[in-house]
Amino acid sequence: MIPTEEIQKTITGGLNNGFYFNPKNGYVGRPVGNTSDFSDYYLGDEIDKGYDLNDDVYSITSKIARTISNQIVWKVREVNTITNESEDVEGTELQSLLSNPNTYETLSEFREKCISYLLLSGNNFVGGIKPTSKKGYESIHVLPAQYVDVEQGTLSEPIRSITVSWELQEDWDIKDVSITKYPSLALDSYFIGHSPLKSGTRLLESSNDLITAEAYFLKNRSASGMISNDGEDDMIPPNSMKEVQANLIRQVGGATKTNMIWATNAKLKYTSFDSNPSDLKFLETDLQKRRRFCNLWGLDSSLFNDPSNKTYNNQKEANKSAFLNCYIPNDLKLLSSLNKWLSPIYQTGKVNTKYEIYQDLSDIDTLQQDKLEKINIQEKQSKEVRLILTDVANGNISKEGALVLLIDIHGFDDDKAELLTTEVIRNEEGTTI
């Protein structure tokens, strides 16, 4: 009787990874033909397997980070903590630090790195280096999230210690580190962030496998067929076979000889290596995976060469949606952390006043288009309202007719419409109705 283990190896291609019975849940894993397991997520996979290895992950996250750092302007203002009135300020120490965060990065590069780590790992850590003679920080630095070890504490003291596994500076006082994060629901990372690519572990791994499979498919299936002896008994001697091969490559090799017919008086036959169309379907899943990556960060796939969703109107709306749902919120998340950690260190010298870093969105064309359209609508409405009031003043329409137009057509509330028509009649007749 054949041992069960041998049968198992046979039906799974001779590999030691056949059926597996999980005693915890009673399910059988690794079905027939399955030759690999998915691996678990480990800290740093978002960089090593994602940003560094997967072109979709890189293109999506780098577009978000660069758009934010290059198009959303940061400014500093004084805010009255009682009235909430604000005023832009220039030449402050806080603004000087933001303009030159450290000796090796511009503010744009600093922000791009912050957003990139946040998008990939769900965490961004910024550490401040204190000067010896004054308050504040002489420089701020983005810490590599994949090497940051956070010791969680209690609800009253969430973070006990922060250590970075690199040679530049390993130990950091928790007061000198700002943490920006996507909230985590896992207990082992409750006070730090959740990586989108942790939820997308299977997607990332299958996408990387697809990229590898495509590369090997093209590399190993480049030969379109095989030429062999067409006789029943005669064999082609090895030397003659080498000569046939060399002659064939010389005459038909290269892109310029595509679809060329090779002529020979040798008695040979050709066996095609054409792939079954169903074997190539796995290559078509690349676009679906790109769409799923876009979903992880809340972007429309039309921004990343999705041919089925790439029209002018779609891209215009997708770009606007990207600012409102992705670019601005992620940048605000970073700003909120800095305003909680960094801004309070710098004092205005005025009572009930604080510094605040804020977004200036006035130069973002995508958002200004809506404002222009709104202004045009308001100007058109204002013109039409003036005509209605002029007609009331001239007696061309009644006050009641004007009220219907103002309330039902132009959306004025009852009191506002009543006030406008009453005022124009008063001005015209010099009496109050």
Side-chain angles (χ1 to χ4, degrees), residues 46-60:
E46 65 276 0
I47 308 297
D48 298 337
K49 296 181 179 180
Y51 190 82
D52 287 349
L53 192 62
N54 190 291
D55 58 306
D56 278 337
V57 172
Y58 173 80
S59 61
I60 294 171

Side-chain angles (χ1 to χ4, degrees), residues 305-324:
N305 300 317
D306 187 343
S308 63
N309 195 26
K310 196 174 183 181
T311 66
Y312 174 76
N313 288 334
N314 281 351
Q315 284 196 291
K316 180 181 177 181
E317 290 302 316
N319 196 38
K320 175 184 173 182
S321 175
F323 270 98
L324 297 178

